[in-house]
Amino acid sequence: ASVTRRFAGVPRIALTATADAATRKEILEKLEIGDAAQFLSSFDRPNIRYRVQLKENGRQQVLRFIQAEHPAHTGIVYCRSRKRVDDLAAWLAAKGVKAVAYHAGLGAAERSRRQQRFAREEAIVVVATIAFGLGIDRPDVRFVVHFDVPTSMEAYYQETGRAGRDGSASDAWMLYSLADVVAVRQMLARSEGDEGFKFIQQRKLEAVLGYCETTACRRQVLLRYFGETLAEPCGNCGTCREAPETWDGTVAAQKALSAVYRTGQRFGAAYLVDVLLGKENDRIRRFGHHRLKTFGVGRELSALEWRSVLRQLMAAGYLTVEMSERAGYRLTEKSRPVLRGEVEIRLRRDKKPPKTAKTRDPQAATAPAALDGPAAELWEVLRRLRLDIAQELELPAYVIFHDKTLREMAVSRPASREALLAISGVGESKADRYGERFLAAIGGVSPDGG
């Protein structure tokens, strides 16, 4: 029976937090409410800074990111597999980060315990699979890291949206590598579902890869995916703040595609790079590829640069991966015009991540950037008081007062109940319960820092 016949006369409403135009259309068709009015709010989260970095030594990069930018903040690190979650959480904990693992393989009681820790403790980092997310509503999550590439822009947007729900500046930081791209494509190819389903999932993944490789404003690309237009670059994402360098990669692309074709469309990146660089080893001699025209034609680039070329060609759809026991690159229909010289290819020049990162002082990192001197000192006092009260009442700290409220107190320094009630986030009930203790704390810190 159709939905219309079964629910004739029954009011229906369909709600979704994250869906592109095609998904919204499918929802309307499935529920047979195609003539219903649609109400869409903006997908833009201007307080979130979107950044993507090439993954070279992922664990070290995550550690440097947390130590340098968020040493005293709460955050989430998403990984693809349970094993990776366990390994990364244990490694971060050994390096001094208060990190806990979360995934569906844990028992229900242990999952609940770790969720409670996340809700109540400060400066805690949860390393998790996508099992961690639904129902998570902590407002002061300052960063969300994707250690692995997500499978769709919807998943990416939903997961990054768990950062900065209090409106304060937050980071959405993703690591991205050629190996990730291959692994996700293999996973999708082996998944259950008909060819139509797999085709849609591949297109969704390609949108993520295009986002990773873009040289344009990341916020514009993200919003465009959901059918929203941002007229000007945001000025706050990774590409806006540090514009990537690009170069004419047409000849390099032709060489790479030719190497894929002439070696039989059956080899991975490491082998193809050796062919392009002219590295004559036993395996290459065994296949006779040292006699190919493309052998050694790419000595003008390094091995890392060739891996970047292959990664970007795959992200742009000029290469795909043969899903077999040994994943090898294959040409696509898009690659033919490149080989014929009919298409110009521009590639981004990868920047190496810094080998060292200067760790900020945790106290300085905790205080909002706009606060300094006496205001920053008062912020710390109020923050410690909030934590003490939260522990006494066994409540999450943000339930007492949000960071935004503490920041306003530190700046305006209310000296009476009436002034305290003028602070955003302070109502009669909270003023009754906590007002005297916070006013006393404010009065105990000299406004001139003396």
Side-chain angles (χ1 to χ4, degrees):
S2 73
V3 172
T4 302
R5 288 200 300 274
R6 282 193 292 164
F7 297 101
V10 178
R12 280 166 284 154
I13 182 171
L15 304 173
T16 175
T18 312
D20 60 10
T23 304
R24 296 196 298 269
K25 180 174 181 290
E26 183 180 8
I27 290 171
L28 294 175
E29 290 174 350
K30 295 291 186 184
L31 296 180
E32 298 181 14
I33 53 174
D35 58 347
Q38 296 185 47
F39 302 90
L40 302 175
S41 62
S42 174
F43 283 86
D44 193 14
R45 295 284 304 281
N47 63 309
I48 297 179
R49 183 189 305 174
Y50 298 98
R51 299 152 69 187
V52 179
Q53 186 172 319
L54 184 65
K55 185 192 291 183
E56 293 192 340
N57 185 332
R59 295 196 309 184
Q60 289 286 353
Q61 287 170 274
V62 171
L63 178 63
R64 286 197 298 264
F65 170 75
I66 294 172
Q67 289 179 333
E69 303 192 34
H70 298 283
H73 292 157
T74 292
I76 305 171
V77 180
Y78 282 109
C79 300
R80 186 181 306 119
S81 70
R82 297 176 186 177
K83 184 179 186 309
R84 184 167 285 181
V85 164
D86 288 333
D87 291 347
L88 181 58
W91 187 84
L92 288 173
K95 297 295 183 181
V97 177
K98 185 163 65 173
V100 295
Y102 186 99
H103 53 71
L106 299 169
E110 183 61 21
R111 287 202 307 274
S112 178
R113 187 182 74 82
R114 297 184 186 193
Q115 281 182 323
Q116 288 298 313
R117 285 193 63 190
F118 175 76
R120 294 179 178 177
E121 295 183 21
E122 295 201 7
I124 186 169
V125 177
V126 173
V127 184
T129 62
I130 58 173
F132 186 77
L134 294 178
I136 299 302
D137 195 29
R138 180 165 177 162
D140 62 341
V141 174
R142 292 276 71 85
F143 64 92
V144 171
V145 171
H146 280 86
F147 191 80
D148 300 303
V149 174
T151 56
S152 70
M153 292 294 280
E154 289 91 341
Y156 174 71
Y157 178 83
Q158 188 175 68
E159 288 152 16
T160 58
R162 286 158 193 152
R165 292 186 174 181
D166 58 3
S168 296
S170 305
D171 278 309
W173 191 78
M174 176 163 57
L175 289 174
Y176 161 67
S177 73
L178 178 59
D180 285 336
V181 178
V182 173
V184 175
R185 284 199 162 163
Q186 286 178 313
M187 181 179 69
L188 291 179
R190 293 169 182 155
S191 65
E192 296 181 2
D194 57 24
E195 290 305 311
F197 170 82
K198 291 183 178 180
F199 177 82
I200 292 172
Q201 297 307 307
Q202 289 286 356
R203 299 291 83 76
K204 287 179 178 291
L205 175 60
E206 286 172 5
V208 176
L209 302 183
Y211 169 82
C212 290
E213 294 291 357
T214 187
T215 58
C217 168
R218 293 198 186 279
R219 195 180 309 277
Q220 285 182 317
V221 174
L222 181 63
L223 293 177
R224 190 182 307 124
Y225 179 84
F226 291 105
E228 188 174 337
T229 300
L230 184 66
E232 299 291 336
C234 72
N236 189 42
C237 69
T239 54
C240 282
R241 292 172 70 96
E242 193 171 354
E245 182 184 352
T246 64
W247 59 289
D248 186 347
T250 306
V251 173
Q254 290 170 336
K255 290 178 179 179
L257 296 175
S258 178
V260 170
Y261 179 75
R262 291 179 182 275
T263 55
Q265 303 187 82
R266 52 182 294 205
F267 295 97
Y271 187 90
L272 293 167
V273 170
D274 283 347
V275 170
L276 289 161
L277 294 177
K279 292 187 176 180
E280 190 173 333
N281 53 41
D282 290 341
R283 193 175 179 215
I284 285 177
R285 284 194 297 271
R286 186 166 69 251
F287 288 109
H289 292 154
H290 58 298
R291 294 189 290 269
L292 294 176
K293 286 184 177 180
T294 49
F295 184 75
V297 298
R299 292 189 176 96
E300 74 279 7
L301 299 180
S302 68
L304 280 176
E305 288 170 326
W306 276 118
R307 291 183 71 85
S308 174
V309 170
L310 290 168
R311 187 191 75 243
Q312 293 185 63
L313 290 176
M314 172 176 260
Y318 296 106
L319 286 174
T320 188
V321 175
E322 178 65 20
M323 301 307 172
S324 59
E325 289 186 9
R326 291 184 177 178
Y329 291 112
R330 297 183 67 85
L331 303 184
T332 68
E333 287 302 314
K334 286 184 67 175
S335 58
R336 313 291 174 180
V338 179
L339 287 168
R340 292 195 295 262
E342 300 170 359
V343 174
E344 179 183 343
I345 304 293
R346 291 208 67 81
L347 301 174
R348 60 186 295 141
R349 198 177 299 281
D350 292 333
K351 295 191 71 172
K352 291 185 178 181
K355 291 185 178 180
T356 59
K358 195 172 183 180
T359 302
R360 295 182 192 172
D361 176 79
Q363 294 286 84
T366 303
L371 302 182
D372 55 19
E377 180 185 350
L378 179 54
W379 156 268
E380 287 299 330
V381 170
L382 297 177
R383 181 172 166 270
R384 285 193 293 269
L385 173 59
R386 178 181 65 176
L387 182 58
D388 289 342
I389 295 173
Q391 290 174 342
E392 291 169 11
L393 301 178
E394 296 185 349
L395 291 172
Y398 62 81
V399 172
I400 310 303
F401 286 124
H402 282 194
D403 283 355
K404 188 181 295 185
T405 302
L406 295 191
R407 185 186 306 118
E408 193 171 338
M409 287 185 193
V411 172
S412 64
R413 305 179 67 89
S416 65
R417 175 186 170 85
E418 290 70 26
L420 188 65
L421 285 168
I423 301 290
S424 174
V426 182
E428 292 282 352
S429 176
K430 288 191 176 184
D432 288 341
R433 280 180 285 175
Y434 318 125
E436 287 187 7
R437 294 177 70 176
F438 276 86
L439 288 171
I442 293 168
V445 178
S446 172
D448 60 7

